[in-house]
Amino acid sequence: MFTGLCAFPLTPFKDEQFDPVAFARIINNLTDAKVDAICAMGSTGLYPYLNNDERRTVAENAVALADGIPVMAGIGALRTRDVLHNADIVQRAGVNAVLLAPMSYHHLHDEEVYALYEKVTANLSVPLCVYENPNATNFTFSDELYQAISRLPNVAAVKIPGMPFGDKVQGEQRLARLRELVPDSLSIGVSADKFGVAGMRAGCDAWHSVLAGLFPKTVQCLIQAVRDGQGESAAMASDRLSPIWQLFVQSKGGLRVMATAADILGVCEGNCLPHPLKPLTGPARQELEAQLTSLQLD
Amino acid sequence: MFTGLCAFPLTPFKDEQFDPVAFARIINNLTDAKVDAICAMGSTGLYPYLNNDERRTVAENAVALADGIPVMAGIGALRTRDVLHNADIVQRAGVNAVLLAPMSYHHLHDEEVYALYEKVTANLSVPLCVYENPNATNFTFSDELYQAISRLPNVAAVKIPGMPFGDKVQGEQRLARLRELVPDSLSIGVSADKFGVAGMRAGCDAWHSVLAGLFPKTVQCLIQAVRDGQGESAAMASDRLSPIWQLFVQSKGGLRVMATAADILGVCEGNCLPHPLKPLTGPARQELEAQLTSLQLD
C-alpha cells in the first residue's frame, strides 16, 4: 500500500460536526479512481482537530467506503498516551496502516521522538508510516533518527518533505542518502504536491498527495507519465498546475484550498472546515474558481 | 491581577497522572511568596497536553490552593469549540482570568485568529489575556490584529514575546507602538524570563514568568529593584542568571529546565513530565544542579 498514489482526503465538517455525506462523496471519488491507498485523517484530514468519537467515526466510515483500497489513518497527538489511544481506535476500526507525525507544542528533542515511535510501534498490529512535516510539527528528523526509527518493528514507510526535490541534484542526493540509512524494504514517499513529480522522477516509491484527495486522476496521470519514462512531460504538466501550488503557498498549506474546492465543486455544502479555520474568500477564492475551470482537474 | 509578577507553575505529572501533591508544593511556594497572580496551565503548565478531566482538576486545585491570589488559566486548543469548552471548565472551577494563545497545527490567518478571540470573549465572564507565543503557536500578531482584538469585550491584558527587549531602543519602541494601538487600560506583560528585567525597565505592566513558577522570590527581587529605580542592578542580577537562560535556550524552552529543577529540589518525585516529554539528563542536568547550588535561586 506504500507504492504509487496515496490520496489524503479532507475530513469535511458541517456546522462543527463531521459530515458523513460529503466524506462519502470524497472517498467514492477515490475508489472510482482506484488510488493505491487512502490516508484518512492526514494533516488535510485534520487529525489533530478531532476528538475520539470523531476519530472513530471517520476511521469506520473510511474503511467501510474504501472498497478494498488500503486505508491509513493519522494517529498523532501531543502525548504518547493519546497516540496509543488513537492507534487503538483506528485499528479497531479496521485500518491497514497508521501515519504518525511527532506533533509538538513544546518543540521535541530527538530522544523524545525516538521514544515516542519506540513505544507506539511496539504496540501496533499494522504497519506505520513515519511522517515528517516540519511546518506543522516544528520537528525535523536527523539522519540518525531516520536510521534508528526505520529499524523499529512495524515501520514500513516514511513520508518526507518535498522541498529537496525542488532541485534535481539535491533531491536525488537526499533520496540516495535516505536509502543508505533505512532498510531496503522501507517505502519512501514524497509530500508537498508541488514537488510530487520531481520526487517520483528521483525515485520515490509513493506520492502522498493532498491534491489527489479531490483530484486523484490528475495525480495518477502524472505518476503514470513518470513510470512511462515521460518525466519531462510530467514535469511540464505539474508546472501547469503552478497556480494551484501558488494558492497552497499563499494560504499557508493545501487545506484551505482543498476545502474551498470541495465547496466550489459541491462536494460539501459551503464551509467544511471547523472553526477557527476558514476557507478562502475574495480574490483567492475567485482565482481558485478560475483555475478549476481552466485546468480541468480530475 | 495583571500588574507585577504572574508566576507560571508546572503542572506536575507522576506516571502520566496529574500529581496533586507536587502541585500543592508548587502553589504553596507561590502563595508564601505572595506573587501577584498565578497562571495555572500556561505553556509550562502544559495546557495543550491535558484532557478535560485533568484541566478541571488542575483548575480546581489551583483555585483551592491560591489563598486569595488571582488565578488565571490557559484555555487554548486547536478548535474554537474546544477553547469554549475549556473556558467553561476553568470558569466553573473559579478562575479569575483566562489566557488564550492561538494554537495552530495548520498555521492560522489573521482573520481566523480574530474570529477565535471574538467568539471566545463574547462568551466569557472573566477577563482574558491575549497570549502571543510564536515559537509554540507559529503565529505572530500583526499590529492591526492587536488593535482589533484589544478592543473586544473582556480583553484585559496581553502577554508578548520578550525578544524586542533584547535591545533597549527596540524594546521601548515596540512597547510605545503597542501602547498607541491598544486601550490605555490594557496590561502589557513581558514573557521569556531572559528579557523580563528589560521588559519591566521599558515599562511593561507585568512579568509573566516561568522561572517564578519555582523561584518566585528571585523574580520578585528583580521586579522590586526595577520599581526602586535600581534598573541597572536588576539587569546585572538578571545577567548573573544567564546560565539558566542558556539552559532554557539549549533545551528548547523553560519547561524541561523547570521540570528538572522540580526533581532536583524534591518538589516532585523524579520525572514530572508526561511522555514523550523528558526532563534534562547528563551534562545539562549536571549544569542545572551546579547552577541551582551556586545561584541560590529562591
Side-chain angles (χ1 to χ4, degrees):
Chain A
M1 68 174 294
F2 295 116
T3 305
L5 174 58
C6 182
F8 279 63
L10 293 159
T11 299
F13 282 78
K14 193 171 155 183
D15 301 331
E16 300 301 314
Q17 305 292 318
F18 170 61
D19 180 348
V21 176
F23 191 63
R25 286 194 197 108
I26 293 169
I27 303 299
N28 289 340
N29 184 46
L30 300 179
T31 58
D32 286 350
K34 300 194 194 319
V35 297
D36 299 297
I38 296 168
C39 181
M41 301 179 285
S43 292
T44 302
L46 295 171
Y47 75 84
Y49 297 77
L50 307 180
N51 66 24
N52 287 336
D53 284 343
E54 290 162 343
R55 194 178 326 278
R56 182 178 300 107
T57 304
V58 175
E60 287 173 353
N61 277 262
V63 171
L65 293 161
D67 200 23
I69 292 174
V71 173
M72 176 157 71
I75 59 170
L78 291 175
R79 284 179 67 174
T80 305
R81 171 195 71 178
D82 298 328
V83 177
L84 291 169
H85 192 210
N86 293 348
D88 190 49
I89 288 173
V90 300
Q91 285 179 105
R92 283 175 196 271
V95 305
N96 307 94
V98 294
L99 176 75
L100 178 57
M103 255 188 88
S104 79
Y105 178 85
H106 292 286
H107 295 197
L108 292 170
H109 296 192
D110 279 16
E111 57 272 27
E112 293 169 335
V113 171
Y114 180 77
L116 168 69
Y117 282 96
E118 188 179 37
K119 181 78 175 172
V120 172
T121 54
N123 287 276
L124 278 180
S125 55
V126 297
L128 177 140
C129 178
V130 176
Y131 179 12
E132 177 170 0
N133 183 343
N135 204 37
T137 66
N138 292 311
F139 186 81
T140 297
F141 286 73
S142 66
D143 283 357
E144 295 69 27
L145 196 57
Y146 266 132
Q147 189 167 39
I149 289 176
S150 65
R151 283 163 174 74
L152 290 169
N154 296 310
V155 174
V158 293
K159 174 181 188 301
I160 62 170
M163 189 66 83
F165 299 106
D167 177 89
K168 186 170 183 293
V169 174
Q170 268 184 31
E172 286 171 358
Q173 283 175 348
R174 179 69 195 130
L175 192 58
R177 175 71 183 135
L178 267 179
R179 295 273 187 219
E180 284 170 18
L181 293 167
V182 303
D184 291 344
S185 60
L186 201 87
S187 159
I188 299 178
V190 60
S191 60
D193 287 327
K194 178 182 177 178
F195 303 111
V197 164
M200 295 307 280
R201 290 182 81 187
C204 285
D205 301 296
W207 180 348
H208 298 272
S209 172
V210 168
L211 188 72
L214 287 177
F215 306 106
K217 289 176 186 164
T218 296
V219 181
Q220 282 173 320
C221 283
L222 296 175
I223 292 175
Q224 194 56 49
V226 173
R227 284 179 172 159
D228 291 344
Q230 308 293 321
E232 208 47 56
S233 115
M236 284 164 61
S238 175
D239 286 347
R240 279 196 294 275
L241 302 178
S242 53
I244 300 291
W245 312 148
Q246 195 53 38
L247 281 167
F248 277 31
V249 171
Q250 271 173 29
S251 64
K252 302 189 180 182
L255 174 68
R256 294 172 187 85
V257 178
M258 300 309 286
T260 310
D263 178 15
I264 293 169
L265 297 172
V267 170
C268 61
E269 293 176 47
N271 175 20
C272 70
L273 295 172
H275 288 108
L277 300 169
K278 289 177 186 285
L280 305 182
T281 55
R285 184 183 164 111
Q286 287 162 18
E287 164 73 1
L288 179 60
E289 281 178 328
Q291 293 300 336
L292 290 182
T293 304
S294 78
L295 292 172
Q296 296 283 307
L297 300 177
D298 192 19
Chain B
M1 68 174 292
F2 295 117
T3 305
L5 174 58
C6 182
F8 279 65
L10 293 160
T11 298
F13 283 78
K14 193 169 154 184
D15 300 331
E16 300 301 315
Q17 305 292 318
F18 170 61
D19 180 349
V21 177
F23 191 63
R25 286 193 195 106
I26 292 169
I27 303 299
N28 289 340
N29 184 46
L30 300 179
T31 58
D32 286 350
K34 301 194 194 317
V35 297
D36 299 296
I38 295 169
C39 181
M41 301 179 285
S43 292
T44 302
L46 294 172
Y47 76 83
Y49 297 77
L50 308 180
N51 65 24
N52 287 335
D53 285 343
E54 289 162 344
R55 193 177 327 277
R56 183 178 299 108
T57 305
V58 174
E60 288 173 352
N61 276 261
V63 170
L65 292 161
D67 201 21
I69 292 174
V71 173
M72 177 158 69
I75 59 170
L78 291 175
R79 283 179 68 175
T80 305
R81 172 194 70 179
D82 298 329
V83 177
L84 292 168
H85 192 210
N86 293 347
D88 190 49
I89 288 173
V90 301
Q91 285 180 105
R92 283 175 197 272
V95 305
N96 309 93
V98 295
L99 176 76
L100 178 57
M103 257 187 87
S104 79
Y105 179 83
H106 292 286
H107 296 198
L108 293 171
H109 296 193
D110 280 14
E111 57 273 27
E112 293 170 336
V113 171
Y114 179 77
L116 168 69
Y117 282 95
E118 187 180 36
K119 181 80 175 172
V120 172
T121 54
N123 286 276
L124 278 180
S125 55
V126 297
L128 177 140
C129 178
V130 176
Y131 179 12
E132 177 169 0
N133 182 342
N135 204 36
T137 66
N138 292 312
F139 186 81
T140 297
F141 286 73
S142 66
D143 282 357
E144 294 69 27
L145 197 57
Y146 266 132
Q147 189 168 36
I149 290 176
S150 65
R151 281 162 175 76
L152 290 169
N154 296 309
V155 173
V158 294
K159 173 181 188 301
I160 63 171
M163 188 67 81
F165 299 106
D167 176 86
K168 186 171 182 293
V169 175
Q170 267 184 31
E172 286 171 356
Q173 283 174 349
R174 179 71 194 128
L175 192 58
R177 175 72 183 134
L178 267 179
R179 296 272 188 218
E180 285 171 15
L181 293 168
V182 303
D184 290 346
S185 60
L186 201 88
S187 159
I188 299 178
V190 61
S191 59
D193 287 327
K194 177 181 178 180
F195 303 111
V197 164
M200 296 307 281
R201 290 183 81 189
C204 285
D205 302 294
W207 180 346
H208 297 272
S209 171
V210 168
L211 189 72
L214 286 176
F215 306 106
K217 290 177 186 164
T218 296
V219 180
Q220 283 173 319
C221 284
L222 296 174
I223 292 175
Q224 194 55 50
V226 173
R227 285 180 172 161
D228 292 345
Q230 306 294 320
E232 207 49 54
S233 118
M236 286 165 62
S238 175
D239 286 348
R240 278 195 296 276
L241 303 179
S242 52
I244 300 291
W245 312 146
Q246 193 55 38
L247 282 168
F248 275 32
V249 172
Q250 271 172 31
S251 64
K252 303 189 180 183
L255 173 70
R256 295 173 186 84
V257 177
M258 300 308 287
T260 310
D263 178 16
I264 293 168
L265 297 172
V267 170
C268 60
E269 293 176 47
N271 175 20
C272 70
L273 295 172
H275 289 108
L277 300 169
K278 289 176 186 284
L280 305 182
T281 55
R285 183 183 164 110
Q286 288 163 19
E287 164 73 0
L288 178 60
E289 282 179 327
Q291 293 300 337
L292 289 182
T293 305
S294 78
L295 293 171
Q296 296 283 307
L297 301 177
D298 193 17

